[in-house]
Amino acid sequence: MDKTRSIKTRDVVKIIKVKDHAKLHNHFIRQKRVHTKEDESVSEEAIHNIQSSGMCVLEKSAFKAKEEIKILKSKRSLNKAIEAHSVENWKKERHTEKIGEHRSPLQENKKKPNFLQMKKYVIDKKKSNDKTEKFKFQSFYNTYKLKNTNRIVEIIKKSVLKVDHLLSLGGSLVLIICMSLFIGCVSALANDSYSMPAYVNVSDEVLAYKDTIEKYCKQYEIADYVSVVMAIMMQESGGKGNDPMQCSESGFNKKYAHSPNSITDPDYSIEVGVQTFADCIKQSKIEDPGDTNKLSLALQGYNYGNGYINWALSNFGEYTKANAKAFSDMMKSKLGTNGYGDPEYVDHVMRYVGITFRGGTNPNFNNLEAWVTKNPYAQAGLYGQCTWFAWGRFYELYGYDPGFSGDGSSCVKELVSAHPDKFERSSSPKAGAVFSAIGHNHVGIVIAVKDNTLTVQEGNLDGITNTFQDAKKDWQTKSYTLDQLRSIYGGVVFANPK
């Protein structure tokens, strides 16, 4: 009997595995989500995912910026910075320059800039008795540092642009994190943060000219800037002498020689000074007296003249302490002098201007120190609260940390405790005071007091945590009688400036 042998077979299904790049990518993305509601919609989930992706971009960019700063601050900073960024162009530019009768170290060593040579050259020039040569080289060296500072800023700008489309999709939190990550990088190099100097009263000599100042401010259409003009006079002369505005060299002086103190008529000095400052305001394109950055540009322009305002706008787009210093160095080198103007002029003038003017009549949300980088309430769960607003406005008005970081009801206590030499607890307000509600967890700023009416600014009117865009609109300036304010908030207590 024939047996038919059958060969058993097994069906095998082979599946070719394909690497899921998207899944792998998502696996390694750090999930950073901020929960604001128990039930999240699909759109909210999408926004969180966008923010998470944006965070990856920003963290990498921040790391890159910090690494660049480490290079610039390291022992061989000049070598590494020049080699890593367009060394040939840098050499080509500097090889054509002569510093006095000497050639720079980079000219002497064209193959590779040597840090020790540069360091020795700096030391030699600083010890040199030849002031002209020393200041020329210092200007050259400051220009190098300024260029590298600007390069770090460019890294930041490019990084922000990479996530710009995310912001339009609801990623406002990304913007806050972005600025928080980068502001420390910039300040590490530029040291350019603006802090409001402590207030100092103008002298009796300046006050004696108040009516004259008001007359010419009205004539030249800057009636809102009387206090600033008085502050300029205080810084320039203290109200003393025949040229109290120190504007003899101004182009608006048509009666006297353009030499220091040539004006011998105080009234004419004030007219020329006001006209000069009005022109600076016009050049700076100030639309609101509370725009402190443009006001700073105008003030520095009054001190420098010679096209500083247009130079700053063309090269930097605004006033900064760094470019004020750079302009002074540039002019010293150009004129061969050992001094030019006052690079700290803005701070020196603003100490004589009242706090509400210095801080602006309204919040300036472009002031990153006040609203983002230094504000302890600029974080998830606290951002946009009344405490965030009060802290930011206080910093704008006074230029320093109020010292409170708790609930609104405890802000007055914390402020008085942190600054007992500057503030005192009171049941009645002064302009510039911080108030805490006794019956509510709330805090605000007193902007003005007239008779029994006080004007306050307060935030978080809707009672919830907001995005930055929403928080910028969630505040008000409102006037109350003291009794009304007490009734609304169940009693109030004030931290008054002494």
Side-chain angles (χ1 to χ4, degrees):
M1 183 177 178
D2 293 332
K3 294 182 178 180
T4 303
R5 293 187 177 183
S6 60
I7 299 174
K8 294 181 178 180
T9 60
R10 184 174 60 181
D11 293 332
V12 178
V13 178
K14 292 186 178 181
I15 300 175
I16 299 175
K17 294 183 178 180
V18 179
K19 184 184 290 186
D20 189 338
H21 291 280
K23 183 177 181 180
L24 186 63
H25 175 70
N26 290 332
H27 173 73
F28 286 102
I29 289 180
R30 296 175 62 188
Q31 301 299 317
K32 296 191 175 183
R33 298 176 53 180
V34 179
H35 294 273
T36 57
K37 297 180 181 180
E38 293 182 2
D39 299 321
E40 295 181 336
S41 66
V42 175
S43 62
E44 289 172 331
E45 180 69 22
I47 290 172
H48 286 315
N49 290 337
I50 290 170
Q51 291 174 347
S52 297
S53 299
M55 277 300 302
C56 292
V57 175
L58 295 175
E59 286 176 345
K60 289 178 182 179
S61 301
F63 177 77
K64 181 178 179 182
K66 289 177 181 178
E67 287 300 306
E68 294 286 348
I69 290 170
K70 286 180 181 179
I71 291 173
L72 292 177
K73 294 178 71 176
S74 68
K75 182 177 180 180
R76 297 183 178 276
S77 59
L78 290 173
N79 267 351
K80 294 181 180 179
I82 296 169
E83 287 180 48
H85 296 276
S86 304
V87 62
E88 293 305 322
N89 291 336
W90 200 90
K91 280 184 181 181
K92 183 178 180 181
E93 177 186 352
R94 294 306 175 193
H95 286 170
T96 60
E97 293 185 12
K98 284 188 177 182
I99 303 173
E101 297 178 355
H102 302 280
R103 296 174 67 81
S104 74
L106 297 182
Q107 290 174 297
E108 296 170 359
N109 185 2
K110 294 184 179 181
K111 291 185 178 180
K112 186 176 181 180
N114 186 284
F115 177 77
L116 295 178
Q117 284 183 324
M118 179 64 80
K119 183 176 180 181
K120 182 177 184 301
Y121 193 68
V122 172
I123 293 173
D124 289 344
K125 283 297 177 185
K126 286 184 176 180
K127 291 181 178 179
S128 172
N129 293 324
D130 188 340
K131 293 184 177 181
T132 301
E133 295 299 318
K134 178 170 66 174
F135 285 116
K136 283 184 178 180
F137 177 76
Q138 191 62 49
S139 177
F140 153 75
Y141 189 64
N142 287 339
T143 301
Y144 161 76
K145 291 192 295 183
L146 184 62
K147 282 189 175 183
N148 283 281
T149 299
N150 291 337
R151 181 165 49 79
I152 301 300
V153 174
E154 285 304 312
I155 292 174
I156 294 170
K157 287 180 179 178
K158 289 178 181 179
S159 301
V160 173
L161 289 174
K162 289 181 181 179
V163 296
D164 183 59
H165 68 287
L166 299 177
L167 302 181
S168 65
L169 295 176
S172 56
L173 178 61
V174 175
L175 176 61
I176 301 305
I177 297 171
C178 170
M179 304 320 300
S180 300
L181 285 171
F182 288 146
I183 195 69
C185 298
V186 178
S187 61
L189 275 177
N191 190 26
D192 199 38
S193 59
Y194 180 74
S195 57
M196 199 70 69
Y199 178 67
V200 180
N201 289 317
V202 298
S203 66
D204 291 337
E205 289 85 351
V206 171
L207 288 173
Y209 286 119
K210 184 176 180 180
D211 290 343
T212 305
I213 291 172
E214 288 178 341
K215 179 182 72 174
Y216 286 119
C217 282
K218 184 177 181 180
Q219 179 177 331
Y220 291 102
E221 301 180 343
I222 56 168
D224 292 335
Y225 296 87
V226 171
S227 62
V228 180
V229 174
M230 292 175 68
I232 292 174
M233 179 187 288
M234 185 64 192
Q235 175 60 24
E236 293 289 345
S237 68
K240 300 176 182 179
N242 293 324
D243 184 14
M245 293 299 290
Q246 292 291 291
C247 55
S248 294
E249 296 167 273
S250 168
F252 293 99
N253 171 20
K254 307 298 183 182
K255 294 183 179 181
Y256 297 85
H258 288 181
S259 58
N261 297 307
S262 65
I263 293 178
T264 57
D265 178 1
D267 186 272
Y268 184 69
S269 173
I270 294 172
E271 181 181 5
V272 173
V274 170
Q275 192 176 3
T276 302
F277 185 56
D279 183 64
C280 291
I281 289 174
K282 182 178 179 180
Q283 289 185 55
S284 301
K285 302 177 182 178
I286 301 177
E287 297 178 357
D288 179 2
D291 190 337
T292 52
N293 193 268
K294 289 183 179 179
L295 177 60
S296 297
L297 182 67
L299 286 171
Q300 196 67 60
Y302 183 91
N303 177 247
Y304 280 162
N306 288 323
Y308 164 75
I309 294 175
N310 289 332
W311 177 86
L313 289 174
S314 298
N315 293 281
F316 302 91
E318 62 180 354
Y319 159 88
T320 67
K321 285 184 179 180
N323 70 43
K325 177 67 168 59
F327 187 84
S328 177
D329 291 337
M330 180 181 70
M331 294 304 294
K332 285 188 292 185
S333 176
K334 180 179 179 180
L335 300 174
T337 61
N338 58 7
Y340 184 86
D342 177 10
E344 301 290 332
Y345 190 76
V346 174
D347 279 356
H348 293 159
V349 170
M350 292 303 281
R351 61 185 166 169
Y352 300 114
V353 181
I355 57 169
T356 52
F357 198 107
R358 290 188 288 165
T361 53
N362 293 322
N364 175 14
F365 292 107
N366 292 322
N367 186 337
L368 294 178
E369 288 188 347
W371 303 106
V372 179
T373 60
K374 290 188 176 181
N375 194 320
Y377 300 98
Q379 56 179 290
L382 297 176
Y383 187 77
Q385 293 290 328
C386 63
T387 44
W388 168 80
F389 181 83
W391 197 103
R393 279 304 278 149
F394 184 97
Y395 190 86
E396 286 187 324
L397 294 174
Y398 291 97
Y400 56 85
D401 185 341
F404 55 75
S405 58
D407 293 337
S409 57
S410 65
C411 287
V412 163
K413 180 180 178 180
E414 292 183 53
L415 172 57
V416 172
S417 177
H419 303 288
D421 57 326
K422 298 176 181 177
F423 288 85
E424 59 186 357
R425 185 185 177 97
S426 177
S427 58
S428 57
K430 289 183 180 179
V434 171
F435 75 86
S436 284
I438 296 175
H440 294 74
N441 186 16
H442 188 65
V443 61
I445 302 287
V446 179
I447 298 301
V449 177
K450 185 177 182 180
D451 298 327
N452 193 43
T453 301
L454 58 159
T455 302
V456 306
Q457 287 185 338
E458 52 193 338
N460 196 30
L461 306 178
D462 58 15
I464 62 174
T465 300
N466 292 307
T467 64
F468 185 60
Q469 295 300 322
D470 290 336
K472 289 195 296 184
K473 303 173 184 177
D474 188 25
W475 64 276
Q476 68 176 0
T477 300
K478 191 170 183 178
S479 294
Y480 304 91
T481 66
L482 184 55
D483 289 339
Q484 285 176 332
L485 193 68
R486 288 170 176 165
S487 175
I488 292 170
Y489 293 120
V492 289
V493 62
F494 302 92
N496 285 339
K498 289 185 176 180

